[in-house]
Amino acid sequence: MNKTLIEEKLKTLEESLLPVIIAVHPDKDFREDASGLLANITQVSGAITRAQWMDMLDGIAPRAMRSQPDAFWKHCNNFNCGLWQFFHSLTLGVGRRSNLPANDSAGEVVMKTIKTFVVDFFMCLECAQHFVKGYDDCAAGRCTMDHPDKMHTALWLWRFHNMVNNRTAHERGIIGKDTAWPTKDECTKCREYRSGVSNNYTFNEDAVMDFLEESYYPQSSDIKPTGPSGSRPMVQLGHHTIALLSLAILPLIMVTNF
């Protein structure tokens, strides 16, 4: 990766990604970490060296986590799974009051931010191309609401995630099995079966939304879940989760010295 391209990615991080994370992410501790990282980036005059970048990330995650992240996963065992966790949690911050541009709804901004992250930082080019095509084709109901709210944004990503699960099932060795998520064991209320047939069902999207909130709201969130249970959470987004690893892992993506 050449120096110019790396500088462009850091500019994207500074101008597009970190400001949105700071504005909407439901984990207030993570917002503070991201805000500190943004402040450090903006204070550097000229190009950021690799040593400076690593020093900046020291305040977010230890170097051992960044060089060998597998030992630090709490709920995933690979980067792709963790990245989805980060995206799902970001959609649940759409309800926060923020200083996002008034001409776009927070839902639209979050959707665009997820696309930008995939395009600029996802390590699988083919995966990124599939994502962008689906996004641009309005897959999973993305274009069905002029100003998507939190529920619309969260359910759009959930549908999109299931589309990806279905498309990649064969290459993951899953043949002839239901790949839809959440499974019936993970969420007993999410599926409504017809005629008692196990594979004949529709998703109850209100129940799915409750499941997403209960799963992805961090304990340090300053947003109250809208679901009836108000419980917290099955997935905790703290210092050892993708909310931080998604930034800390960038030096592994930017493999060239800069």
Side-chain angles (χ1 to χ4, degrees), residues 50-85:
R50 186 179 185 87
Q52 287 174 317
W53 178 243
M54 297 295 281
D55 287 342
M56 290 178 190
L57 292 177
D58 282 343
I60 295 179
R63 296 198 179 197
M65 179 187 293
R66 305 202 301 269
S67 60
Q68 298 292 334
D70 289 352
F72 292 89
W73 293 113
K74 277 190 172 182
H75 302 282
C76 288
N77 57 14
N78 59 61
F79 178 75
N80 290 2
C81 168
L83 191 61
W84 280 112
Q85 282 193 14

Side-chain angles (χ1 to χ4, degrees), residues 185-224:
D185 294 328
E186 291 172 321
C187 180
T188 58
K189 297 180 180 179
C190 288
R191 301 179 185 216
E192 296 178 344
Y193 291 91
R194 301 170 182 168
S195 305
V197 180
S198 61
N199 62 350
N200 186 6
Y201 65 87
T202 58
F203 274 106
N204 180 327
E205 293 193 345
D206 288 332
V208 170
M209 187 64 190
D210 290 343
F211 170 82
L212 293 173
E213 289 188 322
E214 291 172 5
S215 298
Y216 293 106
Y217 265 122
Q219 287 184 326
S220 61
S221 172
D222 52 7
I223 306 172
K224 184 178 180 180

